[in-house]
Amino acid sequence: MFKHILIPTDGLALSTAAIQNAMQLARDVKAKVTVITVIEPFHIFSMDSVQLADTQSAYQTHAGEAAKRCLEAAKRQAEALGVECEAIHVEHAMPYKAITDTAAAKGCDLIAMASHGRRGAAALILGSETAKVLTHSSIPVLVYR
């Protein structure tokens, strides 16, 4: 069956539930996992160079700390289940692309991720990273609702 599962997460409740389910699947099929967090690069909205430096620095610090907490929690879950786990943090302007590129680079044969369930106009306007991964992935994608 599956030998290497990529689990993208944003640290939100739905992603946390998807991690739990995907870790159990990995345990059951004796697969290893790679858990990934992706943040978008800081975007500049101000002309004040002092404010930009402080704001970008604060963004990087906050995002890095949040990713670290999320990945450490996933590694603890994997360890508790006896699942081999690698955790990585990536910065990329297009999170779905970082996810599909990482899956290819790591030789993953499944991507397991949460659906955030946007509907109506929000889904049309904002889209979802899950929908983009489904569209662009060359390997199977398991979506947890």
Side-chain angles (χ1 to χ4, degrees), residues 13-122:
L14 287 173
S15 287
T16 301
I19 289 172
Q20 291 171 348
N21 289 319
M23 290 287 185
Q24 291 170 355
L25 172 63
R27 179 200 58 206
D28 293 347
V29 300
K30 298 178 179 33
K32 64 181 177 179
V33 300
T34 297
V35 180
I36 182 174
T37 61
V38 182
I39 63 163
E40 293 185 54
F42 179 76
H43 298 286
I44 299 171
F45 296 109
S46 174
M47 298 302 285
D48 181 352
S49 62
V50 173
Q51 182 183 7
L52 288 177
D54 288 343
T55 303
Q56 184 171 10
S57 174
Y59 172 79
Q60 293 293 343
T61 299
H62 174 72
E65 289 171 355
K68 183 178 178 182
R69 282 191 305 274
C70 184
L71 294 173
E72 285 175 351
K75 288 192 318 190
R76 283 192 302 274
Q77 283 185 35
E79 186 176 327
L81 292 171
V83 173
E84 181 184 339
C85 179
E86 176 185 10
I88 58 175
H89 173 69
V90 176
E91 184 175 315
H92 198 289
M94 297 180 289
Y96 82 90
K97 182 93 169 104
I99 292 165
T100 56
D101 288 353
T102 299
K106 296 283 184 183
C108 297
D109 50 10
L110 177 69
I111 299 171
M113 63 191 303
S115 168
H116 289 296
R118 285 191 182 108
R119 295 177 189 206

